Amino acid sequence: MKRLQLTLAYDGTAYCGWQIQAGRSDQPTIQGELEKVLARLCGETVRAHGSGRTDAGVHALEQVVHVDIPDSKTQITFRRALNALLPDDIACISARIVPDAFHSRYSALSKTYAYTLWLENAFLLPQRRAFVWKTGPLNMQAMQAAAALFCGEHDFCSFQNVGTPVKSTVRNLTALRFDPGQTAHECVVRLSANGFLKQQVRNMLGLLVAIGRGQYEPEVVERALAAQDRRAIAYQTAPAQGLCLEHVEYPALDTL
């Protein structure tokens, strides 16, 4: 067997997330679509392991996946073959053989997510509807002050939704910045960390937007982190469609 690293991009609108749901094989998932095509190419069941379990409606520009394929199939040009067979809303960006020690999830050093806010109240471009959260105007200065309080190593259990058991809820958020979007009406919030909890980014964005709307002062971030309870501060979880897994960082393959 050889280990193959795939990089996928997808529009998550039509899918129930990355992961196949137990007992719900009828629900479309990115993993399910990929494994169906891999089984067809390899002539046997192939399990795909993703770098992160994106939720229903969440997109990806760089979802990294590893699969183990039979030695006899290494001559296949997987990028071309996958793109010929996958649905149009899933694309394979790259495919390469990697060391057996590589793991798409456990080898990752950091991940970067991007969340896009639509800041115009009067209209929303139809082409952007599936990729933004229409919040209307926000106090960006207050949000930037709050963002600074999120950065660093914290216990983020107040921003975790139930569903995925983890050994620790401590994460190191190395960057949280505000960038221009694809149009003049958008702001992209980019977050990088050594890992994220279930719906952590969407919960953080929900609180940031509440601050931007004047519901809370920036210092509420400190109270929320200290509370270690998702119910301590009332705010909306940001909708899925604004979120995109943008980049996954790995060590050099020769160091694995």
Side-chain angles (χ1 to χ4, degrees):
M1 302 292 283
K2 296 293 185 184
R3 183 149 293 186
L4 184 69
Q5 181 199 72
L6 306 171
T7 303
L8 303 182
Y10 49 82
D11 175 347
T13 304
Y15 297 94
C16 298
W18 157 261
Q19 189 174 18
I20 295 172
Q21 304 298 310
R24 297 183 176 181
S25 58
D26 58 320
Q27 293 189 345
T29 64
I30 307 296
Q31 183 186 25
E33 295 297 326
L34 177 60
E35 290 185 0
K36 281 192 292 187
V37 173
L38 288 168
R40 181 174 170 184
L41 292 173
C42 294
E44 61 182 68
T45 300
V46 176
R47 178 61 66 185
H49 303 269
S51 61
R53 299 172 181 175
T54 53
D55 294 330
V58 174
H59 315 294
L61 284 176
E62 192 176 293
Q63 169 72 281
V64 180
V65 180
H66 81 259
V67 299
D68 293 327
I69 59 170
D71 292 339
S72 61
K73 302 299 180 180
T74 55
Q75 79 280 4
I76 296 174
T77 305
F78 274 92
R79 185 177 72 169
R80 183 168 61 190
L82 288 169
N83 285 328
L85 298 172
L86 284 167
D88 291 342
D89 47 11
I90 305 174
C92 179
I93 307 303
S94 65
R96 60 174 176 168
I97 300 296
V98 292
D100 291 345
F102 174 83
H103 193 288
S104 58
R105 181 181 174 192
Y106 299 124
S107 298
L109 298 174
S110 68
K111 297 175 185 176
T112 297
Y113 281 89
Y115 197 98
T116 304
L117 304 171
W118 183 269
L119 305 177
E120 172 60 58
N121 260 337
F123 66 91
L124 171 57
L125 289 177
Q127 297 89 339
R128 300 298 292 147
R129 185 178 301 278
F131 304 100
V132 301
W133 179 13
K134 183 183 176 184
T135 61
L138 299 169
N139 183 337
M140 302 306 296
Q141 186 175 0
M143 292 173 67
Q144 289 171 342
L149 300 175
F150 272 123
C151 290
E153 187 173 87
H154 303 286
D155 187 333
F156 283 96
C157 68
S158 290
F159 296 91
Q160 177 189 30
N161 282 14
V162 297
T164 304
V166 292
K167 292 181 179 178
S168 172
T169 50
V170 174
R171 298 291 185 271
N172 185 15
L173 189 74
T174 54
L176 200 172
R177 69 178 192 268
F178 298 80
D179 296 325
Q182 291 189 23
T183 75
H185 311 291
E186 296 173 38
C187 173
V188 179
V189 185
R190 286 191 167 86
L191 307 91
S192 299
N194 60 349
F196 291 92
L197 304 169
K198 182 177 176 61
Q199 294 191 351
Q200 178 184 338
V201 175
R202 290 170 60 192
N203 285 328
M204 291 172 64
L205 260 294
L207 184 55
L208 283 172
V209 167
I211 293 166
R213 287 171 169 166
Q215 294 173 236
Y216 297 107
E217 294 298 317
E219 291 73 22
V220 74
V221 170
E222 295 176 316
R223 287 167 43 207
L225 288 168
Q228 298 189 13
D229 186 343
R230 172 64 179 86
R231 300 164 296 180
I233 308 294
Y235 60 89
Q236 175 186 0
T237 297
Q241 77 272 6
L243 184 59
C244 181
L245 174 58
E246 198 168 67
H247 178 64
V248 188
E249 186 73 25
Y250 292 96
L253 292 177
D254 59 8
T255 65
L256 294 172

